[in-house]
Amino acid sequence: MERSQPRRQVAAMKQSLFDQGLLDEQFIQLEELSDDANPNFVEEIVTLYYRDSSRLISSIEQALKERHTLDFNKLDTLMHQFKGSSSSIGAKKVKAECTLFREYCRTGNAEGCMKTFQQLKKEYASLRKKLEAYFQLARQAGPMETACRPK
Amino acid sequence: MDSHKLTALVVDDDRMVRIIHGKMLNSVGVKNQVVQNGKEAINVHLSGQTFDLILMDLDMPIMNGIEAIKELRSMGICSTIAGVSARSMESHIQEFMEAGLDEYLEKPLNISKLTSFIHKFYVTN
């Protein structure tokens, strides 16, 4: 009976991440891939995401420094990659900011790109903190039998 | 054909995507290998290996998906090839199909899309 309380907390935290619109179904898909061989599969994938995508973030940041001569094609290409990675882990809000950024690239709106990128970085960092807290709680609670779907 | 007897090649420049797609294929019983770009996909075939399925990313450095598919088809490779991409614009998909692939799957891939794809081409009658 005592064990179920931490697991309820894990489920509640996950539900909250979905309710806030931070995650989508793809996250559940990843959880369903966890098995005895890789019980922390999602955490490993999210760690990899933040490690690999930081290079893309830096490249976009660098490209945005050319304020008066922005290369919108290059920015769009970089953001396309970043969006793909973000959608692979179910990072719903981050993905939405990527879409908005790409729209601004298409219309050649430099200000829009810069503002959206600032918002994207906030969402990206915020999600990281929340997922770290979630994974820490999940590890303390012990392995779940199956991935549970939020309501 | 039972999916447990199928083999697959995952071609994607994103390490995380290679891991995820490999794990998805494992979960449905498909033995698989992963490579990073179209050139490596060609080289694997030149070494004599063949696969029932190929999941080919569209945008990759060194050799992209379209170039790789054209090359594989010209080599006589008859594997079932699915182009996998986050692109959704019709014109891009058309270009991909004309290169010689059998199916287009929009990223992110999930188990449902994967099993539908496998069943479409390997249905046991």
Side-chain angles (χ1 to χ4, degrees), chain A residues 26 29-30 33 35 38 41 45 48-49 51-52 55 80-81 84-85 87-89, chain B residues 13-17 19-20 23-24 27 59 85-87 107-112:
Chain A
Q26 191 63 16
Q29 289 286 318
L30 296 185
L33 293 174
D35 53 25
N38 295 113
F41 180 70
I45 288 293
L48 195 57
Y49 164 73
R51 192 181 305 158
D52 288 359
R55 270 175 262 144
H80 169 76
Q81 276 183 264
S85 289
S87 71
S88 293
I89 68 155
Chain B
D13 61 322
D14 187 323
R15 178 169 53 154
M16 190 182 64
V17 171
I19 293 171
I20 293 171
K23 197 93 166 107
M24 282 182 178
S27 76
D59 298 303
S85 175
R87 293 200 201 183
K107 278 182 180 176
L109 216 56
N110 54 43
I111 295 288
S112 170

Side-chain angles (χ1 to χ4, degrees), chain A:
Chain A
M1 280 307 237
E2 273 179 36
R3 260 198 186 178
S4 69
Q5 174 63 14
R7 283 188 187 170
R8 276 203 295 272
Q9 284 176 334
V10 172
M13 193 182 270
K14 184 161 73 176
Q15 183 67 50
S16 169
L17 293 171
F18 277 82
D19 290 344
Q20 291 172 68
L22 299 175
L23 295 175
D24 63 28
E25 168 67 26
Q26 191 63 16
F27 189 82
I28 302 296
Q29 289 286 318
L30 296 185
E31 285 196 317
E32 289 178 352
L33 293 174
S34 295
D35 53 25
D36 291 340
N38 295 113
N40 302 315
F41 180 70
V42 191
E43 187 175 358
E44 289 164 15
I45 288 293
V46 169
T47 303
L48 195 57
Y49 164 73
Y50 276 99
R51 192 181 305 158
D52 288 359
S53 64
S54 63
R55 270 175 262 144
L56 277 170
I57 293 278
S58 297
S59 299
I60 295 168
E61 202 133 45
Q62 198 54 42
L64 282 171
K65 280 181 180 165
E66 314 293 323
R67 281 172 188 271
H68 301 295
T69 52
L70 287 188
D71 184 343
F72 290 107
N73 281 335
K74 181 179 175 181
L75 283 167
D76 186 56
T77 301
L78 289 168
M79 190 53 77
H80 169 76
Q81 276 183 264
F82 181 69
K83 183 183 168 183
S85 289
S86 302
S87 71
S88 293
I89 68 155
K92 190 175 175 183
K93 259 194 188 170
V94 171
K95 193 172 92 167
E97 294 299 331
C98 295
T99 302
L100 190 55
F101 184 95
R102 295 190 72 199
E103 279 305 309
Y104 284 128
C105 284
R106 278 190 204 115
T107 56
N109 185 332
E111 177 124 359
C113 282
M114 286 190 248
K115 276 191 179 152
T116 308
F117 188 62
Q118 294 310 313
Q119 185 59 29
L120 185 153
K121 283 197 294 180
K122 275 187 195 158
E123 295 292 348
Y124 175 77
S126 168
L127 180 64
R128 184 179 199 162
K129 281 202 178 106
K130 288 173 182 174
L131 285 175
E132 278 170 359
Y134 170 72
F135 290 131
Q136 188 172 23
L137 192 64
R139 268 185 265 120
Q140 286 165 7
M144 306 274 276
E145 279 157 10
T146 54
C148 59
R149 290 177 175 277
K151 293 163 202 165

Side-chain angles (χ1 to χ4, degrees), chain B residues 66-112:
Chain B
I66 289 177
E67 289 166 359
I69 291 166
K70 285 179 179 171
E71 182 69 25
L72 287 170
R73 292 306 191 205
S74 74
M75 285 163 63
I77 300 298
C78 301
S79 309
T80 305
I81 305 179
V84 183
S85 175
R87 293 200 201 183
S88 56
M89 280 182 68
E90 276 300 321
S91 56
H92 293 129
I93 297 170
Q94 186 61 28
E95 191 186 0
F96 221 178
M97 299 300 292
E98 282 169 3
L101 58 76
D102 300 291
E103 187 79 348
Y104 175 81
L105 300 173
E106 196 171 335
K107 278 182 180 176
L109 216 56
N110 54 43
I111 295 288
S112 170

